[in-house]
Amino acid sequence: MDVEIKAIKSPGNGKFSNNGYDWLSGLNDEQKAAATHSGGPLLIVAGAGTGKTKTLAYRVAHLISTGVRAEGILLLTFTRKASEEMLRRAYSAVYGKESAGSVWGGTFHSIANRLLRIYSRAAGLLPDFTIVDQGDAEDMLDVLREELSLDKKEARFPRKSTCLAIYSRRVNGNDELEGVLKRYYPWCLRWKDELNALFRRYVEEKTRQNVLDYDDLLLYLYYLLEDEETSAEIEGRFDAILVDEYQDTNPIQAGILERLRRTNKNITVVGDDAQSIYSFRSATVKNMLDFPARFPGAVIMKLECNYRSAGRILACTNVLISQAGERYTKNLYGTRDDGALPELVTCRDERAQDEAVIERVLRHYEEGIPLRSQAVLFRASSHSASLELALSRKNIPFVKYGGLRFLEAAHIKDLVGFLRVLENPKDERAWFRILQLIRGVGPSTASAAIRHLIRENYRVNSLASFNGAEEITGQLKKLADLLDQIAGCAVGPGIEIERINEYYAPLLREKYDNHRERENDIVHLAGLASGYSSRREFLTELVLDPPVFTGDLAGPPIRDEDYLILSTIHSAKGLEWDAVYLIHAADGCLPSDLSTGSSEEIDEELRLAYVAMTRARNHLYILWPQRFYSRPSGLSDNHVYAQLSRFFNDEVLATVSRSSTGTCSEGAERPAEAGKSVEIQKKLKEMWGG
């Protein structure tokens, strides 16, 4: 739509750096119009690589520079790093320094946690509640399954991870349980009543233990905002709300925003409907498509100038995404030259696909593109298995985005368990874990000790009076003394971890292999904790915005390290590389054969392909194997034939170059046209007297 760009004048009070508002000159006309929008609901449809982060940061800067209170601005992002980066840019633009100031910035969950701490009484919570991670939530459900004898059913009842996934779908999607089961878990429909009973007990148990799970943070805030008085007070805190990645919000998050903007309509949301790929987290693109209906009078602006990809890559991806059923129409254009055509490579099998990827990776490496500036992307983690073996054989270093998440590492969960009982002595899942670290304490003894704690009103030093075996009682007293000592000292969480580790280190060496690596992780954990002023703040951030992998605590690689990136498409969103290789672009892989049950699912698979291809700056390769072996090629000839992904129709194919390597119509697969004829069949008949 056409947007009038008004002249911007400096307030002239000398408060702002960079010669008044001259920093706006760094924006193009589309970005400037969005950043300086006068007020009211605004939807910014930002295509891939169009500078949405910069635009949103400068909108924060514009609000501050025009007199909006910094503490009256709420910036919601999907990672803490994104929030910090935007606020750094905003303050640098306005004040010439990088202070984050007093803007409320963070993820939906972290802001919900902050508000619930303030309004805990109104929310019916004790202010010292703790937050359990996914693993502990699953364990709690598992215990309740056993208590309700659901694990003893003749037919197998859903496992704890499935139960938690169903629960999360139900609460985040704001849908009835029966609807969730019919759509996503039809094999569990028979257990609808039992699941209802299980989830009711789950809610009761969390309340009793004064803990919330990840989903509860949003649910509590959502229902807290139902109260008109409290809702009006919270809404009054914020003169303006800005939301990043709006296409990835779920119904509860959209509902929270509506309740926060009942009277004040100053809300800006930024997103790209073409990059909505997280429905498995209950995110829905409909939040973005329905924004004008939710906020009448909303202004829609588009960012279409792409600064990332070469022209021919943009031409290809524009045609690809035009197949989507529901979308905001936009046509990305670039600021760079056309570059090379994207290349579609047809391969005989996965081995040929691996060879094609490696050949092109090494060629670009010789041309001066480092390995870490190249990425291989795929729909599912298993799709890279063959390539990983091939890279290892060639001694090509690589890093795969995936693996054990930091908080899932057993020794980290142990350490965090100590902190959790110090913060909230009612946290029985944490007690259950740390008690079983003691030799001789199993599940039954741990449960008995917890019942003793409950009778003693969760007094930590009451552990010393637990009636158990002599050697166990002595260890429990030692544990109680440790916790009492730490609770009585006003030290930061980093020091607390160091003191806990003095007690824990011998247990770790006894319990786990490769203890040296695990001990290093604990040292890094203590270092991470030392940056926080309180145990509560550290525990909250560790759950809401954790280091993704244990290696994240080791810091960035040294300058000379180089490695190829392997990543699922979901993990690659928001990143970019000079060269991108999209592998397994075959029907059944992309789209996944498990995600073609509806037009909505197929559209999301199309958006996945779009996200993968728009990560490329200069070189884009789409590869697909014509056949897949049921075992590694060479061990068996059992295979199935594939077809090119349905997303690469004639219009898309017209925007790419095409090549093949080791295809089924080449080489050894092709009938020989020359050579002497050997009468083999005649010889075989003669063997049997024919």
Side-chain angles (χ1 to χ4, degrees):
M1 66 182 287
D2 294 329
V3 180
E4 179 184 0
I5 307 298
K6 297 180 179 180
I8 305 296
K9 296 182 179 180
S10 167
N13 59 9
K15 179 180 179 182
F16 308 111
S17 64
N18 302 328
N19 299 317
Y21 282 11
D22 286 353
W23 44 267
L24 286 172
S25 62
L27 305 178
N28 64 34
D29 287 348
E30 295 172 341
Q31 295 169 336
K32 189 181 298 182
T36 60
H37 174 65
S38 57
L42 171 64
L43 169 61
I44 305 173
V45 182
T50 56
K52 71 173 180 64
T53 299
K54 183 178 183 180
T55 303
L56 198 58
Y58 277 41
R59 176 136 185 79
V60 173
H62 175 73
L63 290 170
I64 295 172
S65 63
T66 52
V68 177
R69 302 172 302 125
E71 63 273 18
I73 297 173
L74 172 60
L75 173 64
L76 291 163
T77 62
F78 274 79
T79 67
R80 183 175 61 182
K81 288 181 180 179
S83 174
E84 291 173 347
E85 169 63 15
M86 288 186 199
L87 294 179
R88 183 190 65 78
R89 289 192 186 192
Y91 271 74
S92 182
V94 177
Y95 298 116
K97 59 183 180 181
E98 297 183 359
S99 168
S102 50
V103 171
W104 281 59
T107 66
F108 272 90
H109 292 84
S110 66
I111 294 299
N113 170 72
R114 186 173 171 184
L115 287 169
L116 290 174
R117 300 286 182 188
I118 297 171
Y119 296 96
S120 58
R121 184 183 299 273
L125 292 167
L126 296 174
D128 61 347
F129 66 84
T130 49
I131 305 166
V132 296
D133 63 18
Q134 179 177 330
D136 288 316
E138 289 179 355
D139 288 343
M140 187 181 293
L141 281 168
D142 207 27
V143 170
L144 296 174
R145 283 169 77 250
E146 185 177 347
E147 287 182 6
L148 296 172
S149 299
L150 297 175
D151 59 331
K152 297 179 175 62
K153 297 288 184 179
E154 290 183 10
R156 185 172 64 83
F157 190 77
R159 293 181 178 178
K160 61 180 182 179
S161 57
T162 303
C163 291
L164 185 63
I166 293 170
Y167 175 85
S168 187
R169 282 271 192 186
R170 162 71 179 89
V171 299
N172 284 300
N174 204 18
D175 195 3
E176 294 300 322
L177 177 59
E178 185 172 359
V180 170
L181 294 176
K182 283 182 177 178
R183 182 171 183 183
Y184 301 107
Y185 306 93
W187 63 92
C188 298
L189 258 173
R190 63 184 299 185
W191 302 113
K192 186 188 75 168
D193 293 340
E194 289 85 352
L195 285 166
N196 251 323
L198 174 64
F199 296 150
R200 192 181 309 114
R201 282 283 294 114
Y202 178 54
V203 171
E204 292 169 354
E205 192 64 18
K206 287 185 293 182
T207 302
R208 189 180 68 80
Q209 295 188 30
N210 193 31
V211 300
L212 301 184
D213 65 21
Y214 199 63
D215 297 324
D216 287 332
L217 292 168
L218 298 184
L219 278 177
Y220 269 79
L221 179 58
Y222 178 80
Y223 288 118
L224 179 64
L225 293 170
E226 276 188 342
D227 178 73
E228 291 187 9
E229 183 179 346
T230 306
S231 177
E233 183 176 337
I234 295 175
E235 181 180 6
R237 285 178 171 269
F238 306 117
D239 301 318
I241 295 178
L242 303 95
V243 187
D244 189 23
E245 305 286 9
Y246 190 65
Q247 79 280 350
D248 292 333
T249 54
N250 63 40
I252 289 293
Q253 291 166 327
I256 288 171
L257 292 172
E258 277 192 292
R259 293 178 176 190
L260 284 173
R261 297 290 83 176
R262 284 191 173 98
T263 56
N264 180 338
K265 300 300 182 181
N266 288 327
I267 180 171
T268 298
V269 301
V270 182
D272 183 3
D273 52 300
Q275 297 188 65
S276 178
I277 59 174
Y278 293 115
S279 65
F280 64 92
R281 297 179 185 167
S282 298
T284 172
V285 71
K286 290 190 178 297
N287 284 349
M288 188 166 177
L289 297 174
D290 295 344
F291 183 82
R294 287 178 178 267
F295 295 94
V299 174
I300 301 175
M301 298 184 182
K302 298 179 183 178
L303 303 183
E304 298 179 297
C305 181
N306 178 285
Y307 293 93
R308 175 187 300 156
S309 303
R312 284 171 171 158
I313 293 175
L314 291 177
C316 176
T317 54
N318 281 335
V319 175
L320 181 92
I321 199 60
S322 68
Q323 301 171 68
E326 284 188 288
R327 69 187 186 105
Y328 285 106
T329 302
K330 54 187 175 296
N331 190 51
L332 299 187
Y333 60 92
T335 59
R336 304 172 50 200
D337 58 26
D338 287 342
L341 278 170
E343 182 180 356
L344 176 70
V345 186
T346 302
C347 309
R348 179 178 61 192
D349 51 27
E350 290 176 282
R351 177 179 290 179
Q353 179 179 251
D354 299 338
E355 293 171 352
V357 168
I358 290 172
E359 184 274 324
R360 286 161 176 77
V361 165
L362 294 179
R363 172 163 31 100
H364 285 310
Y365 180 75
E366 293 299 324
E367 293 169 353
I369 300 177
L371 294 178
R372 62 182 175 274
S373 294
Q374 305 184 57
V376 182
L377 306 183
F378 32 86
R379 171 66 176 86
S381 182
S382 59
H383 291 165
S384 67
S386 175
L387 178 60
E388 291 174 46
L389 292 174
L391 291 169
S392 298
R393 284 195 296 267
K394 298 279 188 179
N395 291 320
I396 297 173
F398 64 90
V399 169
K400 185 176 181 180
Y401 280 43
L404 183 65
R405 297 183 68 86
F406 180 70
L407 282 182
E408 293 171 2
H411 55 296
I412 297 300
K413 289 179 74 70
D414 291 344
L415 250 296
V416 172
F418 287 95
L419 295 177
R420 281 171 48 187
V421 297
L422 283 165
E423 185 64 24
N424 174 21
K426 292 184 178 181
D427 191 337
E428 293 175 18
R429 291 312 309 165
W431 276 118
F432 194 70
R433 183 176 196 95
I434 66 173
L435 287 171
Q436 290 185 82
L437 294 172
I438 297 172
R439 180 184 292 181
V441 176
S444 59
T445 304
S447 297
I450 291 170
R451 290 194 295 271
H452 176 77
L453 278 168
I454 294 171
R455 289 193 296 270
E456 296 292 331
N457 200 26
Y458 295 98
R459 288 186 302 106
V460 172
N461 57 14
S462 69
L463 279 177
S465 61
F466 174 68
N467 186 20
E470 184 177 346
E471 63 274 14
I472 293 176
T473 303
Q475 288 298 316
L476 288 176
K477 184 179 186 307
K478 186 177 179 182
L479 173 61
D481 289 344
L482 168 75
L483 296 175
D484 259 351
Q485 180 190 40
I486 294 174
C489 298
V491 295
I495 301 298
E496 289 181 344
I497 290 176
E498 290 177 3
R499 292 184 178 177
I500 291 167
N501 196 38
E502 292 175 5
Y503 169 85
Y504 176 68
L507 302 176
L508 180 145
R509 297 187 190 102
E510 181 178 307
K511 188 176 179 67
Y512 300 113
D513 295 328
N514 61 314
H515 58 83
R516 289 186 179 177
E517 290 84 352
R518 294 176 188 267
E519 288 169 348
N520 287 336
D521 282 344
I522 293 170
V523 171
H524 289 307
L525 183 70
L528 186 69
S530 65
Y532 292 84
S533 59
S534 71
R535 182 196 313 124
R536 178 178 299 173
E537 180 188 8
F538 174 63
L539 284 173
T540 300
E541 288 299 315
L542 200 59
V543 174
L544 298 186
D545 192 20
V548 179
F549 309 115
T550 51
D552 285 1
L553 291 181
I558 59 175
R559 190 174 68 176
D560 293 337
E561 286 183 347
D562 198 10
Y563 42 78
L564 181 67
I565 303 297
L566 273 57
S567 175
T568 63
I569 301 171
H570 285 103
S571 296
K573 187 170 176 288
L575 304 174
E576 59 184 72
W577 294 275
D578 285 338
V580 167
Y581 310 83
L582 173 59
I583 62 173
H584 285 292
D587 251 42
C589 298
L590 186 65
S592 167
D593 53 8
L594 299 176
S595 300
T596 55
S598 66
S599 59
E600 291 84 0
E601 288 179 330
I602 294 173
D603 268 4
E604 179 157 334
E605 294 293 302
L606 172 65
R607 295 193 293 267
L608 272 168
Y610 176 79
V611 167
M613 294 164 64
T614 53
R615 302 307 95 199
R617 286 193 286 256
N618 301 311
H619 304 281
L620 172 62
Y621 301 93
I622 303 107
L623 303 97
W624 70 288
Q626 288 183 310
R627 64 184 183 183
F628 296 86
Y629 288 93
S630 58
R631 297 180 183 178
S633 177
L635 297 181
S636 168
D637 194 41
N638 293 332
H639 61 272
V640 294
Y641 286 98
Q643 292 183 338
L644 176 64
S645 170
R646 68 190 73 181
F647 302 142
F648 296 92
N649 58 23
D650 290 343
E651 289 77 13
V652 177
L653 292 178
T655 66
V656 304
S657 65
R658 303 181 68 174
S659 65
S660 58
T661 175
T663 56
C664 295
S665 59
E666 292 180 55
E669 299 284 338
R670 186 187 308 154
E673 297 178 0
K676 182 179 178 180
S677 175
V678 180
E679 294 182 339
I680 298 175
Q681 292 178 348
K682 180 180 178 181
K683 292 180 179 293
L684 291 176
K685 289 180 180 180
E686 290 174 350
M687 288 177 62
W688 308 102

